[in-house]
Amino acid sequence: WDSWGAQPHVVDLRSDTVTRPSVAMRQAMAQAEVGDDNYEEDPTVNGEARGQHCGDCAPWLGSDGTLCPVAGTPPHPPPGQTWLWVPSGLSTLTMLSWAQVAGVHSQVLQDLPDGTLDLNELESTVRVGYGSRYHPRSVLICLENTHSSAGGRVLPLAYLREVRLLADCYRLLIHMDGVRLMNAAVAQGVISAQITQHCDSISLCFSKGLGAPAGALVAGCREFVAEAWRVRKLLGGGMRQAGVLAAAARIGLERMEETLQRDHSNARRFTQGIWELGSPICSVDPSAVETNIVLGTVAVPWLSPEKLCERMQAVSEEEVAETGCAVNVRLLPWAARSLRAVWHCDVSAQDTQLAANKLKFVAEQCWRERGAAP
């Protein structure tokens, strides 16, 4: 509670990981049928993994819970002197965990603004180590879809086909970090199988856009999934009665179309508000907003993204007097001159409008203060 006796209304746009499980999720978790997942006896986990309860929500999965591999690709090799090609954004956000945990070397490539890789550069880099006894074995290409660091951009299907052709040419595997895979599918108006058919393995996070409190899925061929189970146990991963988490994930999958369409629409609405504001305090390219992530640019040298984020959270008596409400908008400083806002199931259209109004107030306040400065 602040000095004027009002509790600010909080709009948390830092990430889609801040969501709280819905009433339906909590009910499903309480009623979930469970067993020891370490023995593969949790019926809710097993049903979720095999897509038995989801209908078309998990169309990339076969009846045994695996993803059919692309014909002609080799099995995943054991850790060792292997060489991965990964986007720079993916390597930054994962702390190069594959090197720390698996002892695997990677070649980091610079992402293009739309989240894709330059395929000519990728191929020229692959050729350096391909077939040479003096280089680590070329094994895997990693992709991220949607691409977080590019602002939630969706990888085009035509691009994925080209990457698949290149990978097949050199007998490489493709793994897709699909933590927001369903955002990509909804944005493109396709079922997820049309995306994942170009990959040998994928991951999907249930605790981001789908709104579940925890949980993720990894899918690939039967051999790959069996090895994933073994490595999970090696790293201490016995989930036991994990059905309470799988039950929430199922609700997220069943309602994803409506949820994600709304998130994408709200993100575009906020983007339009920034565009119409026309202020260098925070600007955005509307054509770059494809899903639920908005990257804003702070173009004035005298204001940092960190400072702007602080001002978006702070509430003053002047704001209450001018706007009639107290709003705390939480954004994430993203880079030297940019910040990030992410929409999710806990952010309504009204919240979106309040966030846009708050940005307008803060931008105008900053200009007034700058004009009054000596």
Side-chain angles (χ1 to χ4, degrees):
W1 294 83
D2 287 284
S3 58
W4 53 86
Q7 185 176 24
H9 179 78
V10 176
V11 182
D12 196 339
L13 300 173
R14 291 172 298 172
S15 176
D16 46 8
T17 62
V18 301
T19 59
R20 295 174 176 83
S22 65
V23 172
M25 285 183 178
R26 293 175 188 269
Q27 291 175 343
M29 293 168 72
Q31 298 167 5
E33 193 177 356
V34 298
D36 193 327
D37 183 50
N38 207 47
Y39 293 114
E40 301 185 51
E41 294 176 354
D42 190 298
T44 307
V45 170
N46 291 342
E48 199 61 55
R50 293 173 186 158
Q52 294 172 346
H53 303 299
C54 304
D56 292 333
C57 292
W60 68 88
L61 296 178
S63 60
D64 61 350
T66 63
L67 173 76
C68 294
V70 177
T73 56
H76 281 249
Q81 291 298 312
T82 54
W83 198 340
L84 319 181
W85 282 265
V86 297
S88 60
L90 183 59
S91 67
T92 301
L93 296 175
T94 57
M95 305 191 310
L96 294 175
S97 57
W98 49 82
Q100 299 185 58
V101 175
V104 173
H105 177 66
S106 63
Q107 174 69 42
V108 178
L109 300 180
Q110 181 60 50
D111 316 287
L112 297 176
D114 64 354
T116 63
L117 298 172
D118 184 313
L119 295 185
N120 290 326
E121 180 186 4
L122 174 59
E123 183 171 18
S124 66
T125 309
V126 169
R127 290 177 63 88
V128 169
Y130 184 72
S132 169
R133 68 182 65 183
Y134 302 109
H135 291 84
R137 281 182 299 163
S138 304
V139 172
L140 182 68
I141 299 172
C142 294
L143 304 174
E144 183 185 10
N145 197 16
T146 64
H147 196 291
S148 175
S149 294
R153 300 296 292 269
V154 178
L155 301 185
L157 297 179
Y159 166 77
L160 294 178
R161 286 192 291 270
E162 291 185 67
V163 177
R164 178 77 264 170
L165 289 173
L166 190 155
D168 289 346
C169 180
Y170 294 101
R171 292 186 59 79
L172 303 176
L173 297 166
I174 297 176
H175 173 74
M176 178 176 289
D177 180 349
V179 292
R180 295 183 177 90
L181 171 66
M182 294 310 184
N183 290 86
V186 168
Q188 292 177 307
V190 302
I191 61 173
S192 53
Q194 291 178 253
I195 298 173
T196 61
Q197 65 178 322
H198 304 292
C199 307
D200 298 283
S201 60
I202 65 164
S203 60
L204 169 66
C205 183
F206 296 120
S207 64
K208 290 189 171 66
L210 299 182
L217 174 149
V218 62
C221 66
R222 187 186 299 273
E223 178 185 349
F224 173 80
V225 171
E227 177 64 9
W229 270 88
R230 189 193 71 81
V231 173
R232 188 182 77 165
K233 186 61 177 176
L234 174 68
L235 298 175
M239 293 295 290
R240 309 305 179 189
Q241 288 71 33
V244 292
L245 298 179
R250 181 177 63 196
I251 297 296
L253 284 169
E254 290 173 347
R255 303 183 179 184
M256 69 175 188
E257 184 79 25
E258 176 185 358
T259 299
L260 299 183
Q261 287 282 15
R262 184 189 64 200
D263 293 344
H264 297 179
S265 176
N266 284 335
R268 288 192 296 269
R269 184 177 294 109
F270 182 78
T271 299
Q272 185 64 28
I274 297 178
W275 178 258
E276 292 174 356
L277 183 59
S279 172
I281 293 291
C282 187
S283 61
V284 67
D285 177 7
S287 66
V289 179
E290 297 177 344
T291 56
N292 65 323
I293 300 177
V294 177
L295 290 183
T297 300
V298 181
V300 291
W302 41 269
L303 183 66
S304 68
E306 291 82 3
K307 188 62 177 178
L308 180 56
C309 288
E310 290 176 8
R311 298 194 67 147
M312 289 291 288
Q313 288 192 58
V315 178
S316 64
E317 294 188 20
E318 178 186 356
E319 176 188 348
V320 176
E322 186 171 323
T323 66
C325 57
V327 183
N328 174 332
V329 179
R330 299 176 182 177
L331 304 171
L332 187 70
W334 189 247
R337 302 308 309 169
S338 66
L339 51 81
R340 188 183 78 167
V342 184
W343 269 257
H344 49 78
C345 58
D346 288 348
V347 180
S348 66
Q350 181 182 7
D351 291 330
T352 301
Q353 187 59 55
L354 289 173
N357 293 344
K358 178 64 178 265
L359 181 58
K360 181 176 185 295
F361 170 80
V362 169
E364 292 175 349
Q365 187 181 51
C366 287
W367 278 118
R368 286 197 298 268
E369 293 174 358
R370 185 67 179 176

